[in-house]
Amino acid sequence: MTMDLSFYKSDLSEEIREEARAEGAAQCGAENVLIVLEVRGINVPEGVRERVTGCDDLKILRRWHRRAVTAPTAEDTFEDA
């Protein structure tokens, strides 16, 4: 019996895989921002947590990650965003 594997090689399946990779990267980026703030002992209000985890733009998440290293408050992470 031969199994049809053409779907796994199709443009649609590659698009689905790429979308999943992008979502995973954004999730990891958001987690990194929150981890930096938490390790620094900075209170992370629910609104900040929602804004960070709701962001799917890696460029913005990278900017927030860099700001989280020195921001005096969680809200200041977004200062130049």
Side-chain angles (χ1 to χ4, degrees):
M1 178 180 265
T2 304
M3 191 176 230
D4 179 14
L5 300 176
S6 61
F7 171 77
Y8 299 101
K9 298 177 184 179
S10 71
D11 290 339
L12 176 60
S13 68
E14 183 55 37
E15 187 178 320
I16 292 169
R17 283 192 293 274
E18 182 58 35
E19 188 175 306
R21 284 190 284 269
E23 287 175 12
Q27 181 180 7
C28 184
E31 288 174 4
N32 288 337
V33 172
L34 297 173
I35 287 169
V36 167
L37 293 170
E38 290 168 1
V39 166
R40 292 186 57 222
I42 294 177
N43 178 46
V44 181
E46 190 58 33
V48 169
R49 186 175 303 280
E50 288 174 5
R51 184 171 178 186
V52 171
T53 58
C55 181
D56 62 357
D57 185 325
L58 290 176
K59 186 175 179 179
I60 291 172
L61 287 166
R62 285 186 194 110
R63 186 179 323 131
W64 291 348
H65 184 244
R66 286 190 299 272
R67 288 280 304 137
V69 173
T70 59
T73 68
E75 291 83 357
D76 289 331
T77 300
F78 311 119
E79 186 175 282
D80 65 347

